[in-house]
């Protein structure tokens, strides 16, 4: 009979901890939260100091029953969920369900899952932390109030199913505001001028114009650039000064949660969600052969850069034995936490340097190895010597013009031997000067001009956010906390407020619209600084410096006023929509902005008598959507009127501006455009079984198909078959590409409905090299694209199509 019970959060920890503690300990897992607020109601008593109504989650009733049964047999109970606010809430909720006067309840905190840490935590248990629990409750109540009070308004004013969130809505606002900056940005022309020069000693070098008459050089057009080139060509180029100095670059601290998410995005192309998932696996334990499951990293939700003295000595010993003496600094390096850091846990680091990445690679998945190596290298580099560079700066005068060239030579690699920080936007400043050799020159030396090179440039708008830069922005502005970033980024995409395109966040029409409504009606909730101040107040509650009830009262007093005002004044997109100054060209009635399943559009207010609609104009120009970059200017081949770019259910297309009199359309492809007229057809050698006329390849709203050339008298159609036989036994049909009603491509048998075989993966006419199945399939996942056998029981797989680096 076990005398002690240990209750953890994740079932993957159970085996590891039980191995460390032995047979006298029973280890059980809650599988996450066990209690929550009701889904069908607010669950907050506003009249009784915001008292929450928690109840056991339906799917966790069996788990709680088993834990209660195990608790009755235990003399001591250790509550050991994760060491953060959410883990503390789980510990309190479990305590409420199993607590009793005779039972000893202890809180055990594991910063990593090594034997020493687990044994120390059990030997030195703590009390439950009420302040941390109160902070979690306050956050949960705030989120519930915002979500459950604002979301119904959006259902009423826009459409059902929309949601608002205290933090997620501010994150979407950042993306929308950036999109507005990009849209309103006016690019300006400027010119860089570079002089190719030679001194009395090699090598030749290039210097850039930096000042004119003592002021920063600003050359705005080709005429001005040509004038500067003429004047420069008439000047003597003289060395005004030479500065040589040694630069030191210190290593970065070990990872915090947000920095790990940023670097994993830059180096590994991991999403924040994937990074946290893989880090959780490394923390909870990886099977290392005879040693069993070992937790390889410390707790992965932290905003601290602190490391323990024990870890400090271990990493210094590792550097001492693995690298030359110059790579180990004389004293340990201690990093300073930011003012807002909680410092509840150490930085993210390997739990022990015994487990070197290369030696245990065979026991990890590729993703686990990549992330573990990143964490290992950052931690080791943090305690290594600085990198040293020799930098030379040469200033040159030519009349009223001043030029400059810089060169940096790496003299000692130091920490950069192990780790370099990733860059967000095409590298960092100064990278082009690394390794540049400059000649020995002295002040007063006259240089020989060999060439002058003008380069036309244009100012660029601020870049859209990537996952890494959005996490950085959230962290710098104090929005949310590191442990919530992955969930925020996932939620705003799941809600379809933003989409990811080429690694950058783009707001959807829905995201822009909802953000506009929320900013107008809930300016405080959508205010970045206010959201950050709330996070600070939550931190102060956790520290025992603020009162939970007062915080909620202060928040709700103003929120209730905004809520009441918004119920009456928030614009509705149902019915008449948002008025515009446009007039319907068909009936003369005003046009308004409305919301449909494909986004915003402009519709006549005289509906249903007039059903005229058009795409939302760009920049309020009062016309149908303008042709975008890369879309050709077309004239309708039927009526000669101009074609305009429009958005349909299956993407953008060109349509005649004479619609509905002329219904000519042209679909947009990667290579440009191609006609999408129903008359476009390619004859085949197949014959219609009903009328005997040839079948032709035609285009329709769901893609290409085989249709009878006798249309409309004969309306026989067939899907276009692939050269692959249907795999169903006894079926003599072929597979063909088809499209569902929602526009998604799938592959089915040409004998449908007699044969109902379908596949979402594209068939390839190649036999499986393992089982000789007649075809393979191309499968797309979040981690990449690969080829596998269509038979589930066959394990053949090839990554030759492409995979995540």
């Amino acid at each position: 009979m076990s005398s002690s019970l240990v209750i953890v959060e994740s079932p993957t920890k159970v085996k590891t901890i039980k191995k460390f503690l032995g047979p006298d300990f029973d280890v059980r897992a809650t599988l996450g939260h066990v209690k929550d607020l009701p889904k069908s109601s607010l669950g907050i008593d506003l009249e009784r100091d915001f008292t929450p109504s928690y109840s056991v989650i339906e799917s966790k009733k069996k788990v709680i029953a088993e834990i209660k049964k195990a608790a009755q047999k235990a003399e001591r109970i250790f509550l050991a969920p994760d060491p953060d606010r959410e883990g503390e809430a789980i510990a309190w909720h479990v305590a409420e369900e199993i607590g009793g006067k005779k039972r000893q309840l202890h809180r055990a905190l594991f910063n990593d899952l090594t034997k020493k840490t687990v044994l120390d935590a059990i030997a030195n248990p703590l009390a439950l932390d009420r302040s941390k629990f109160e902070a979690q409750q306050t956050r949960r109540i705030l989120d519930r109030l915002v979500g459950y009070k604002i979301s119904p308004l959006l259902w009423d004013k826009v459409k059902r199913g929309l949601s608002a969130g205290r933090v997620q809505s501010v994150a979407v606002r950042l993306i929308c505001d950036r999109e507005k900056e990009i849209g309103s940005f006016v690019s300006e022309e400027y010119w860089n001028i570079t002089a190719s020069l030679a001194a009395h000693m090699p090598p030749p070098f290039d210097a850039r114009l930096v000042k004119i008459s003592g002021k920063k050089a600003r050359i705005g057009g080709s005429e001005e650039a040509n004038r500067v080139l003429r004047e420069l060509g008439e000047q003597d180029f003289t060395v005004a000064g030479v500065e040589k100095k040694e630069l030191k670059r210190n290593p970065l601290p070990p990872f915090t949660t947000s920095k790990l998410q940023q670097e994993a995005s830059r180096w590994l192309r991991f999403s924040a969600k994937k990074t946290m998932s893989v880090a959780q696996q490394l923390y909870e334990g990886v099977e290392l052969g005879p040693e069993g499951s070992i937790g390889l990293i410390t707790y992965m939700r932290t905003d601290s850069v602190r490391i323990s003295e024990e870890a400090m000595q271990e990493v210094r010993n590792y550097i001492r034995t693995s690298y030359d003496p110059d790579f180990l600094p004389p004293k340990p390096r201690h990093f300073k936490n930011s003012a807002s850091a909680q410092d509840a846990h150490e930085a993210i680091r390997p739990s022990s340097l015994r487990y070197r990445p290369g030696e245990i690679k065979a026991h990890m998945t590729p993703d686990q190895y990549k992330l573990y190596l990143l964490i290992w290298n950052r931690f080791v580099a943090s305690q290594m010597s600085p990198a040293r560079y020799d930098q030379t700066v040469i200033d040159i005068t030519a009349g009223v013009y001043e030029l400059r060239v810089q060169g940096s030579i790496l003299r000692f690699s130091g920490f950069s031997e192990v780790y370099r920080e990733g860059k967000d936007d095409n590298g960092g400043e100064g990278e082009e000067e690394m390794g540049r050799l400059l000649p020995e020159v002295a002040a007063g030396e006259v240089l020989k001009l060999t060439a002058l090179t003008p380069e036309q440039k244009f100012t660029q708008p601020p870049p859209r956010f990537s996952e890494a830069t959005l996490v950085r922005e959230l962290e710098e502005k104090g929005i949310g906390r590191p442990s919530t970033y992955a969930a925020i980024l996932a939620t705003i995409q799941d809600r379809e407020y933003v989409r990811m395109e080429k690694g950058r966040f783009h707001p959807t029409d829905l995201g822009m619209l909802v953000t506009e409504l929320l900013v107008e009606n809930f300016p405080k909730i959508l205010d970045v600084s206010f959201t950050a101040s709330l996070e600070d107040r939550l931190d102060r509650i956790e520290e025992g410096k603020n009162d939970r009830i007062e915080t909620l009262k202060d928040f709700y007093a103003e929120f209730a006023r905004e809520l009441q005002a918004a119920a009456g004044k928030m614009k509705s997109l149902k019915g008449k929509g948002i008025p515009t100054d446009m007039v319907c060209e068909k009936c003369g009635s005003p046009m308004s902005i409305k919301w449909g399943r494909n986004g915003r559009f402009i519709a006549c207010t005289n509906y249903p008598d007039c059903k005229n609609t058009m795409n939302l104009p760009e920049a309020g120009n009062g016309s149908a959507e303008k042709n975008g970059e890369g879309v050709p200017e077309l004239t309708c081949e039927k009526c000669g009127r101009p074609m305009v770019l429009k958005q349909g259910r299956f993407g953008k297309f060109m349509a005649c501006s004479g619609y509905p009199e002329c219904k000519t359309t042209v679909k947009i492809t990667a290579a440009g455009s191609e006609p999408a007229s129903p008359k476009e057809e390619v004859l085949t050698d197949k014959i219609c079984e009903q009328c005997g006329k040839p079948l032709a390849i035609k285009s329709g709203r769901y893609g290409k198909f085989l249709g009878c050339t006798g249309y409309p008298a004969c309306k026989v159609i067939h899907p276009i078959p692939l050269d692959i036989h249907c795999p169903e036994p006894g079926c003599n049909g072929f597979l063909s590409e088809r499209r569902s009603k929602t526009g998604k491509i799938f592959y089915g048998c040409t004998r449908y409905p007699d044969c109902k075989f379908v596949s979402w993966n594209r068939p390839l006419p190649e036999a499986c090299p393992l089982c000789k199945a007649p075809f393979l399939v191309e499968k797309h996942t979040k981690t990449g694209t690969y080829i596998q056998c269509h038979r589930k029981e066959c394990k053949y797989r090839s990554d030759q199509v492409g995979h995540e680096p």
Side-chain angles (χ1 to χ4, degrees):
M1 172 179 166
S2 300
S3 59
S4 297
L5 172 65
V6 179
I7 301 170
V8 296
E9 192 172 329
S10 171
T12 58
K13 297 180 184 178
V14 172
K15 185 177 177 182
T16 302
I17 294 173
K18 194 166 180 60
K19 177 186 70 175
F20 294 152
L21 297 178
D24 292 336
F25 286 81
D26 184 11
V27 185
R28 302 292 178 114
T30 66
L31 288 80
H33 281 277
V34 295
K35 299 175 78 172
D36 199 4
L37 298 170
K39 292 184 178 180
S40 58
S41 62
L42 180 64
I44 309 293
D45 193 333
L46 302 177
E47 304 300 324
R48 295 179 58 239
D49 292 334
F50 302 93
T51 303
S53 299
Y54 287 103
S55 59
V56 176
I57 300 169
E58 187 66 31
S59 61
K60 298 297 178 68
K61 287 183 176 179
K62 184 178 179 181
V63 172
I64 284 294
E66 292 173 350
I67 290 176
K68 282 183 177 180
K69 187 176 180 181
Q72 292 173 354
K73 304 174 185 178
E75 296 177 8
R76 294 194 305 164
I77 299 173
F78 296 90
L79 301 168
D82 289 347
D84 57 13
R85 288 178 189 168
E86 299 303 312
E88 198 67 31
I90 294 171
W92 277 81
H93 287 153
V94 171
E96 289 171 356
E97 292 299 309
I98 68 172
K101 293 182 179 179
K102 296 182 180 180
R103 292 198 181 102
Q104 297 182 43
L105 296 177
H106 307 282
R107 183 73 165 105
L109 298 176
F110 305 142
N111 188 54
D112 59 61
L113 289 186
T114 58
K115 185 173 183 179
K116 182 180 184 304
T117 300
V118 172
L119 293 179
D120 285 349
I122 296 298
N124 303 285
L126 305 171
L128 288 168
D129 189 334
R130 174 168 287 279
S131 294
K132 186 179 285 187
F133 176 50
E134 296 250 315
Q136 191 278 341
Q137 276 201 100
T138 308
R139 182 203 64 77
R140 186 74 181 93
I141 292 169
L142 287 171
D143 290 347
R144 174 57 68 103
L145 290 172
V146 172
Y148 271 53
K149 291 291 187 178
I150 296 182
S151 297
L153 265 178
L154 295 176
W155 299 354
D156 182 52
K157 304 292 185 179
V158 186
K159 68 173 184 176
R160 291 192 64 83
L162 299 181
S163 72
R166 184 180 61 86
V167 178
Q168 79 174 43
S169 295
V170 178
V172 175
R173 180 182 183 175
L174 291 176
I175 296 170
C176 291
D177 286 350
R178 177 61 59 87
E179 195 69 21
K180 289 178 182 177
E181 286 183 61
I182 295 170
S184 62
F185 182 83
V186 178
S187 183
E188 296 180 0
E189 180 185 7
Y190 69 98
W191 289 72
N192 286 333
I193 294 181
T194 302
S196 297
L197 302 167
H200 72 287
M201 295 285 288
F205 61 94
D206 292 337
R208 178 171 291 180
L209 177 65
V210 292
K211 289 184 179 180
I212 303 175
S213 299
K215 297 181 180 179
K216 184 178 179 180
R218 287 189 175 89
I219 302 173
S222 59
E223 290 186 8
E224 187 179 0
N226 289 331
R227 178 181 60 79
V228 171
L229 287 170
R230 286 195 304 270
E231 292 180 4
L232 272 173
E234 298 169 355
Q235 305 298 321
D236 291 330
F237 288 75
T238 306
V239 176
V242 180
E243 182 183 11
K244 293 184 178 181
K245 59 183 177 182
E246 181 183 82
L247 296 180
K248 288 185 178 181
R249 183 174 295 172
N250 288 315
L252 296 163
F255 281 128
T256 59
T257 302
S258 63
K259 290 297 187 287
L260 177 63
Q261 291 171 354
Q262 292 172 50
E263 287 292 86
S265 173
R266 294 172 184 133
W267 283 115
L268 309 178
R269 298 294 184 263
F270 283 7
S271 67
K273 183 177 181 180
K274 180 175 180 178
T275 298
M276 296 308 291
S277 174
V278 177
Q280 183 92 27
Q281 297 164 17
L282 295 173
Y283 165 69
E284 292 180 348
V286 173
E287 291 288 339
L288 299 182
E291 287 195 65
S293 181
I294 300 294
L296 293 177
I297 65 171
T298 53
Y299 191 56
M300 65 284 163
R301 294 186 178 92
T302 178
D303 55 7
S304 173
V305 292
R306 172 180 58 85
I307 62 173
S308 68
E309 285 302 316
E310 181 183 0
M312 181 79 75
Q313 293 306 315
E314 186 180 20
V315 70
R316 285 179 61 81
N317 287 336
Y318 171 78
I319 296 169
R320 184 180 293 111
T321 57
S322 303
Y323 297 90
D324 291 338
D326 288 345
F327 284 88
L328 181 68
K331 295 180 180 179
R333 181 177 286 106
H334 296 278
F335 297 93
K336 186 178 179 181
N337 282 320
S338 65
S340 61
Q342 296 296 290
D343 199 29
H345 317 293
E346 286 187 60
I348 303 170
R349 61 170 176 83
S351 57
S352 171
L353 295 187
R354 289 173 50 209
Y355 306 109
R356 302 188 180 188
E359 295 174 0
I360 61 173
K361 182 178 181 180
H363 299 284
M364 293 188 281
T365 67
D367 287 342
Q368 289 173 343
Y369 172 74
K370 291 174 187 175
L371 194 63
Y372 183 57
L373 182 62
L374 193 68
I375 293 168
W376 173 284
N377 287 344
R378 175 90 166 213
F379 175 59
V380 171
S382 71
Q383 290 301 317
M384 296 179 76
S385 298
R388 296 197 301 271
Y389 305 83
D390 285 345
Q391 185 185 66
T392 301
V393 180
I394 303 176
D395 287 316
I396 303 156
T397 58
V400 297
Y401 300 100
E402 297 177 41
L403 299 91
R404 174 171 291 178
V405 60
Q406 293 185 160
S408 296
I409 305 298
L410 179 67
R411 293 304 183 194
F412 175 65
S413 60
F415 77 92
S416 65
E417 186 82 7
V418 176
Y419 186 85
R420 291 183 301 109
E421 187 179 21
K423 302 294 180 184
D424 290 314
D425 299 306
N426 301 320
E429 293 183 5
E431 285 194 357
E432 62 179 21
E433 73 191 42
M434 284 303 303
R436 178 190 287 164
L437 291 172
L438 297 177
E440 289 291 335
V441 295
E445 181 176 344
V446 178
L447 306 171
K448 180 182 178 181
L449 175 67
T450 59
L452 284 171
T453 306
E455 184 181 14
Q456 185 185 34
K457 294 275 193 176
F458 293 91
T459 55
Q460 298 296 314
R464 292 182 175 89
F465 289 111
S466 64
E467 283 215 346
T469 56
L470 182 57
V471 166
R472 185 180 66 194
E473 187 82 357
L474 293 171
E475 182 181 36
E476 289 178 353
K477 293 186 178 298
I479 301 168
R481 282 295 175 258
S483 59
T484 66
Y485 294 151
I488 292 169
L489 268 55
T491 298
I492 61 178
Q493 293 178 78
D494 292 342
R495 301 293 187 191
E496 297 183 351
Y497 291 148
V498 302
R499 70 181 190 278
M500 184 66 80
E501 190 174 301
K502 295 182 179 179
R504 300 282 171 170
F505 283 113
H506 294 247
T508 62
D509 277 347
L510 179 62
M512 293 290 284
L513 178 67
V514 170
T515 299
E516 288 170 12
L517 290 175
L518 293 180
V519 169
E520 182 180 350
N521 293 278
F522 296 94
K524 202 72 176 274
I525 297 297
L526 270 288
D527 182 70
V528 172
S529 59
F530 176 74
T531 304
S533 70
L534 267 183
E535 296 294 344
D536 291 338
R537 296 184 73 172
L538 291 175
D539 293 342
R540 292 179 66 82
I541 291 171
E542 182 171 341
E543 296 164 4
K545 298 176 180 178
N546 272 25
D547 180 71
R548 178 175 71 89
I549 305 301
E550 289 303 315
T551 299
L552 289 169
K553 284 182 177 179
D554 289 347
F555 168 82
Y556 194 72
E558 187 160 358
F559 177 57
R561 287 194 293 271
E562 287 188 348
L563 198 65
Q564 185 176 6
K569 71 175 186 178
M570 183 183 283
K571 297 173 184 176
S572 175
L573 292 187
K574 294 182 177 179
K576 292 188 176 181
I578 301 174
T580 72
D581 56 1
M582 296 178 63
V583 176
C584 177
E585 70 272 19
K586 293 184 178 179
C587 70
S589 300
M591 304 285 280
S592 66
I593 298 174
K594 292 190 176 183
W595 183 260
R597 63 181 178 181
N598 296 315
R600 291 184 291 178
F601 65 98
I602 293 180
C604 181
T605 55
N606 195 27
Y607 179 87
D609 294 333
C610 178
K611 299 180 180 179
N612 185 27
T613 63
M614 66 175 63
N615 285 359
L616 192 66
E618 288 189 3
N621 63 356
S623 64
E625 186 175 346
K626 295 186 296 184
N627 295 353
E629 183 180 351
V631 179
E633 297 289 340
L634 295 180
T635 301
C636 178
E637 60 185 15
K638 291 185 178 179
C639 67
R641 282 178 279 201
M643 306 284 281
V644 293
L645 181 66
K646 291 195 173 185
Q647 179 76 35
R649 181 178 182 183
F650 301 112
K652 293 184 177 182
F653 64 96
M654 304 290 287
C656 181
S657 58
Y659 180 87
E661 291 82 9
C662 179
K663 299 180 180 179
T664 300
T665 61
V666 174
K667 64 182 178 181
I668 305 299
T669 67
S673 61
E674 59 182 75
S677 167
K679 292 187 177 180
E680 178 195 21
E681 54 187 45
V682 178
L683 290 177
T684 71
D685 57 359
K686 300 183 183 298
I687 302 299
C688 175
E689 65 272 21
Q690 286 193 13
C691 68
K693 292 185 178 180
L695 297 179
I697 299 174
K698 299 187 176 185
S699 295
R701 67 184 298 188
Y702 297 118
K704 293 186 181 296
F705 63 94
L706 283 176
C708 183
T709 53
Y711 179 86
C714 179
K715 299 181 180 179
V716 168
I717 61 170
H718 296 288
I720 299 175
L722 305 174
D723 191 22
I724 299 174
H725 286 279
C726 176
E728 288 294 315
C731 180
N732 59 359
F734 288 83
L735 298 187
S736 66
E737 180 181 306
R738 309 181 75 169
R739 195 183 292 264
S740 68
K741 291 182 179 180
T742 61
K744 188 174 181 180
I745 292 176
F746 69 97
Y747 303 89
C749 182
T750 54
R751 292 187 64 249
Y752 177 86
D754 295 329
C755 177
K756 292 184 170 61
F757 173 84
V758 294
S759 171
W760 293 109
N761 303 316
R762 176 182 291 276
L764 302 174
E766 301 175 29
C768 175
L770 284 184
C771 71
K772 308 305 178 186
F775 66 91
L776 303 172
V777 294
E778 184 179 295
K779 191 172 180 67
H780 299 273
T781 68
K782 291 181 179 179
T783 58
T785 302
Y786 56 88
I787 294 173
Q788 69 178 31
C789 183
H790 83 89
R791 291 177 177 168
K792 293 181 179 179
E793 61 271 16
C794 179
K795 303 300 183 184
Y796 174 74
R797 170 172 165 166
S798 170
D799 291 330
Q800 60 184 344
V801 173
H803 57 85
E804 187 176 81

